[in-house]
Amino acid sequence: MEKRIETYSADETCKLGEEIGKNALPGQVYALLGDLGVGKTVLIQGVAKGLGIKGPVNSPTFTILQVYDEGRLPFYHFDVYRIGDVEEMDEIGYEDCFFGDGVCFVEWANLVEEIMPENTIRVTIKKDLSKGFDYREIIISDKQI
């Protein structure tokens, strides 16, 4: 399965995330891929909104994991951009998140692909400046990283 969506504003990207959040199921793990500044955090903010999370949602770049449990499902947001070694994921208890009752999004999941579950859903965000500064192509796929 592969689905391609085009968005033309941060608001549209956020709304797509909101739909993903509304439809998210317990135990789902998403690999979120894309260059710096493509809108990964905007998409994540939409997912949180779709899950019913009211508070602010930011990228956990320096903490690796941010947990939100006030929505309809626990939401585990990983940002592994600064991870030095995959063993750091063990230290923060990633397995409890990946194989629990919540929804996981892992930014930069390609850096820890050896621990990503087989059924991970891949979300790739790409820019194309020839189509406008705010244009994004978002590819949702069940193919492995």
Side-chain angles (χ1 to χ4, degrees):
M1 178 262 336
E2 184 172 285
K3 184 176 182 179
R4 293 178 179 269
I5 301 110
E6 295 180 309
T7 64
Y8 293 88
S9 68
D11 190 51
E12 285 182 20
T13 300
C14 187
K15 281 186 179 9
L16 173 62
E18 191 173 347
E19 285 304 309
I20 292 170
K22 285 179 181 174
N23 294 305
L25 300 172
Q28 286 183 321
V29 178
Y30 291 81
L32 186 53
L33 308 167
D35 294 334
L36 285 169
V38 296
K40 294 184 295 292
T41 300
V42 170
L43 185 80
I44 290 289
Q45 289 168 338
V47 171
K49 187 175 180 184
L51 287 167
I53 296 165
K54 304 270 189 258
V57 174
N58 298 303
S59 188
T61 301
F62 295 102
T63 59
I64 300 177
L65 171 62
Q66 192 70 264
V67 178
Y68 303 93
D69 54 13
E70 68 268 21
R72 68 176 180 85
L73 295 171
F75 181 38
Y76 306 106
H77 178 201
F78 292 84
D79 183 332
V80 299
Y81 183 73
R82 297 191 192 290
I83 200 163
D85 190 297
V86 105
E87 289 176 7
E88 289 179 51
M89 294 292 284
D90 287 328
E91 293 170 17
I92 59 174
Y94 81 92
E95 287 181 330
D96 292 338
C97 301
F98 282 15
F99 304 107
D101 294 330
V103 178
C104 293
F105 269 77
V106 183
E107 292 189 46
W108 304 99
N110 53 305
L111 300 175
V112 294
E113 65 184 285
E114 61 266 32
I115 63 166
M116 297 300 293
E118 227 176 87
N119 59 344
T120 297
I121 300 164
R122 184 175 63 187
V123 179
T124 306
I125 305 176
K126 298 179 181 180
K127 283 185 191 184
D128 183 345
L129 293 177
S130 71
K131 295 184 179 185
F133 182 76
D134 292 323
Y135 170 86
R136 300 295 185 267
E137 178 184 37
I138 302 167
I139 303 154
I140 302 172
S141 171
D142 59 2
K143 294 178 185 170
Q144 293 301 303
I145 299 173

